[in-house]
Amino acid sequence: CERTAADFGRHRAAQDALAQAQADERAANALQVELASALKTIDAQSQAIQAAEHRLSEARQAAQERDRLAPLAARQGELEEHLNAAKLARQKLAQFQREEAQIASDLASAQQEADRAREQIAELEAKEALAAQKDTHRATLDRLQREGAAQGEREKRRASLADQRQRQLGRISAAEDALRAATEQIAQAQAAEREASDLAAREQQAKDLERRIANLKAEISQAERSLHASKGGMCPFLKEPCQNIAQRGISSLSDYFSAQIMQQMEQVLPLEQQHGEVLAEVERLRALQSLAARGPEYAQAAAKARAECDEQRAELSRIDKELAELTAVPFDPQQHAAAVAEAEKLVKASAEADRACAKLPTLRSNFTRFSENVAKLAARRHQCIAEIAAAQEQAKLVESFAAELRALGDPRRQLAQCEARAQQMSGIQAELAQHAQAREAALAQRAAIQQRLAPYAGLAERIAALQNEIAATAAAHDEHLRHQAEARRLPEAQRAAQTAQEDVAKAEEAYQAASRAYDAVAATFDTAALSAANNRLQEMGNELAALRERLGQARQRAATLDAQIAEAETRLTELEAARAGRAETEATTSLLAYCRDTIKEAGPFVMRALLREISSQANRIFGEIMGDRSATLTWQEDYDIVLRSGAYERHFAQLSGGEQMSAALAVRLALLKTLTRASVAFFDEPTQNMDDERRTNLAAQIRRVSGFDQLVVISHDDTFEEGLDSVIWVRKEGGESAVESDPQATMPAPIIPFPAAIGA
């Protein structure tokens, strides 16, 4: 370090001077970059000035073209506005037409609603007087009921018999109506049978006409083939004019065959017309024959209705006999029962009238709303008609405007382009001045940078001299640094040497002790025996693993064989049982196939027979419910319900709400009556999810059903309480149902014998 200290100092001084020189070099380089940038800016601004002068020339030309295109663009705008208006009118024309059609439909519907509301209002206004007497009729009925209750159980029985007699008369009337209807159907079937006796003759006539028409058509086909063979009027065999035709005064064979074809066609046309008329008559007679074939069915229905009449008359006789026995009492139960029945009828009628009249304010409000809607729709329809006419006139101008626009081209787009270029003139002029100013600034910047670079002249030579000085002293500098770092470690190295000498002495002592212990053990150890024992241990372990694997495989194989043996024994037992029952199964299968085919073939006939019987029952029940037997209800083979009134036919979807309810009820009761032969029907909550009017209608309809020994209604609705034989009220007490008295009745609840109609 002492020998290289002088060169070390020179090297450090040269490095410092070189750093300063390199900093000056970087500053000079930066100025050179600025100078190059200034030169580039001068060149770019010169090119930008040339481009701006060219664009300025184009902008001046665009300004001249703009003046020429301005009127053409204005005309284009006018034509496009007219064309868009005409197209819009054409588009709106279909919209107006659809709107007018929709408004016309809505107007008709609104008028129908208004008319229906007017009819309902008139019908309900006629009931207002009856509704006003509701309290009077109720008081009369209460008085009569108190008088009847005072007569005791005898009067109750008498009143019950009188009520039963009234219902029995209704049943007799219904049975007589059914008998009359069946008798009329029998008469119709007999008349159809007499008229259908001419069917065979008509069918033979149709066949004769078909045969004659076929013969004539065959002759026509033959004549057409002859006509084709005699082209040119020559004989098809001699290839010369036919002498026989010439003697008849006919010019050629073609004329002869053409005349034959025309003559035969004239005979065919009236025969085909007659054949069509005969076929229509045959179809009519076949329909009558089908009607006549239902004669036994009508006879069976008549016999059933006659038996029903006899049964109901016998029941009426029994009731009259029991009533006659009760008439010996001074009290006149029949007169009292009639008064009670009349009072109940008046109470019911007045209550129904009162409920119906409660709808009058709503109906009147609806009628006013419907009338206002009709007026609005009519006004809007007139407006749409006027708009349609105006749109039609304007839509006619679409093609003329479009043609003029095509001839004109697109001057507006050209004008916009010229306008855009012309509007750039002032900007281009400003841009031109800006580029000139920038070029002058760049020239000034170049002069300033060149002046700032002057002090850095000779910088490269000075840097080279300093680098030579550094290179000349580098070896001494590096050697000084290398020895300087090592010289600083001298005290530490001396301490480490002392510690290492002490550790060597301790290690030598430990090594001597370990050598002595190893020599003592090595004298008694057998290396060959250890190696042999390790080899034997490894061999025995391998043998044990192989034996364990073989044992597991053997156990698994044994379990598999046991399971297969057990399964085989089970299968053998099942096989014997299956063989024993195979013959029986084959015989049963054959019998079942025969039965299935027979039932399958009979299915459609059974279904049609059931449908006819169900339709008959449903028609009878529907007539009783509606109180009108002028219409006929049928249940079709596609399970659709059809109501026929004369020649008019309506399907289920076309019926009113009340008719649909009555028809569905009739079909369900007919199904119950026909398929189960049951005489008891249960109605569980039948008025659920119904409004007041439909609940009242359904209650009245159910009370008019006959043909059942008992109808039971279970409901939380009190609509059914009026007009039933018996009513039982039930309430919950401690989680159990208990029969209670009517809270509105003045007498205790009667003991109700079964059967009875129940309202819960």
Side-chain angles (χ1 to χ4, degrees), residues 403-670:
E404 188 174 353
L405 273 174
R406 287 194 297 270
L408 191 61
D410 193 3
R412 184 175 57 244
R413 182 177 61 81
Q414 299 173 5
L415 177 62
Q417 294 174 354
C418 292
E419 182 70 28
R421 288 197 296 269
Q423 288 178 356
Q424 294 175 358
M425 188 183 301
S426 59
I428 293 172
Q429 291 174 347
E431 183 181 352
L432 185 60
Q434 185 178 1
H435 287 317
Q437 184 178 359
R439 184 172 179 275
E440 293 299 328
L443 290 171
Q445 184 181 10
R446 182 185 65 181
I449 292 172
Q450 289 174 346
Q451 185 177 2
R452 290 168 58 191
L453 280 172
Y456 296 106
L459 181 61
E461 292 79 2
R462 185 156 53 92
I463 290 175
L466 290 173
Q467 288 176 345
N468 292 332
E469 177 70 16
I470 290 173
T473 59
H477 175 267
D478 294 340
E479 186 177 0
H480 182 84
L481 288 177
R482 185 171 59 256
H483 290 91
Q484 185 180 34
E486 187 68 22
R488 291 195 189 100
R489 295 180 62 248
L490 178 60
E492 181 182 357
Q494 291 173 348
R495 289 192 298 273
Q498 181 66 32
T499 302
Q501 288 176 355
E502 294 174 357
D503 292 338
V504 166
K506 292 179 182 179
E508 183 66 28
E509 293 177 0
Y511 172 74
Q512 294 298 328
S515 295
R516 289 192 296 272
Y518 175 78
D519 293 339
V521 173
T524 60
F525 182 75
D526 189 355
T527 305
L530 176 63
S531 177
N534 287 333
N535 293 335
R536 180 56 181 163
L537 178 62
Q538 185 175 3
E539 291 175 357
M540 293 179 68
N542 294 335
E543 292 176 358
L544 179 61
L547 289 173
R548 285 176 178 173
E549 182 177 0
R550 290 173 60 190
L551 179 61
Q553 292 177 353
R555 287 175 178 174
Q556 185 177 4
R557 178 61 178 169
T560 303
L561 292 174
D562 291 340
Q564 290 178 352
I565 291 170
E567 184 179 2
E569 291 175 350
T570 303
R571 292 289 178 86
L572 184 60
T573 304
E574 293 174 354
L575 179 61
E576 294 296 329
R579 287 174 178 172
R582 180 175 179 177
E584 182 180 357
T585 303
E586 289 177 351
T588 304
T589 302
S590 177
L591 178 61
L592 286 175
Y594 173 78
C595 295
R596 181 169 59 250
D597 294 339
T598 304
I599 293 172
K600 184 177 180 180
E601 293 174 358
F605 301 99
V606 174
M607 184 192 71
R608 284 194 287 271
L610 282 175
L611 281 175
R612 286 196 297 271
E613 186 174 359
I614 292 169
S615 293
S616 177
Q617 289 279 359
N619 183 49
R620 179 185 64 78
I621 297 172
F622 181 80
E624 293 174 355
I625 292 176
M626 299 299 293
D628 182 12
R629 298 183 182 275
S630 61
T632 302
L633 181 75
T634 57
W635 198 30
Q636 302 293 313
E637 291 187 7
D638 60 354
Y639 305 111
D640 186 18
I641 296 175
V642 177
L643 185 64
R644 295 184 179 89
S645 180
Y648 186 63
E649 180 178 292
R650 289 182 294 162
H651 294 267
F652 185 82
Q654 298 170 322
L655 302 180
S656 64
E659 290 174 334
Q660 287 183 346
M661 186 190 309
S662 302
L665 180 62
V667 171
R668 290 182 181 182
L669 290 174

Side-chain angles (χ1 to χ4, degrees), residues 373-389:
N373 192 23
V374 167
K376 291 179 181 178
L377 289 173
R380 178 55 186 157
R381 188 180 179 213
H382 290 310
Q383 182 182 356
C384 279
I385 292 173
E387 290 174 345
I388 288 171

Side-chain angles (χ1 to χ4, degrees), residues 254-410:
S254 298
D255 295 340
Y256 172 73
F257 289 128
S258 298
Q260 273 193 339
I261 291 171
M262 291 299 297
Q263 182 181 2
Q264 290 162 348
M265 287 295 294
E266 291 175 355
Q267 296 178 17
V268 168
L269 292 176
L271 287 176
E272 287 182 341
Q273 183 177 0
Q274 184 181 1
H275 181 255
E277 295 174 354
V278 172
L279 286 179
E281 180 65 15
V282 167
E283 291 299 325
R284 188 182 71 83
L285 292 177
R286 285 176 180 169
L288 291 175
Q289 190 179 48
S290 299
L291 178 61
R294 298 185 66 181
E297 177 187 346
Y298 296 149
Q300 183 180 1
K304 187 176 180 180
R306 191 176 292 107
E308 181 72 13
C309 285
D310 295 341
E311 181 181 351
Q312 299 300 335
R313 288 194 183 101
E315 179 64 17
L316 180 63
S317 299
R318 186 191 65 77
I319 293 173
D320 289 342
K321 181 179 179 181
E322 189 174 355
L323 279 172
E325 294 174 355
L326 293 174
T327 29
V329 182
F331 179 75
D332 188 358
Q334 187 174 0
Q335 180 180 1
H336 184 268
V340 170
E342 182 64 23
E344 288 177 345
K345 182 178 179 180
L346 291 173
V347 167
K348 178 183 176 182
S350 60
E352 292 178 351
D354 183 65
R355 285 194 295 270
C357 290
K359 302 175 183 177
L360 270 174
T362 302
L363 287 174
R364 286 168 178 156
S365 175
N366 290 340
F367 175 71
T368 302
R369 179 165 51 84
F370 292 153
S371 301
E372 293 175 353
N373 192 23
V374 167
K376 291 179 181 178
L377 289 173
R380 178 55 186 157
R381 188 180 179 213
H382 290 310
Q383 182 182 356
C384 279
I385 292 173
E387 290 174 345
I388 288 171
Q392 287 174 342
E393 290 297 329
Q394 196 170 4
K396 295 176 181 178
L397 302 175
V398 171
E399 295 302 328
S400 62
F401 290 145
E404 188 174 353
L405 273 174
R406 287 194 297 270
L408 191 61
D410 193 3

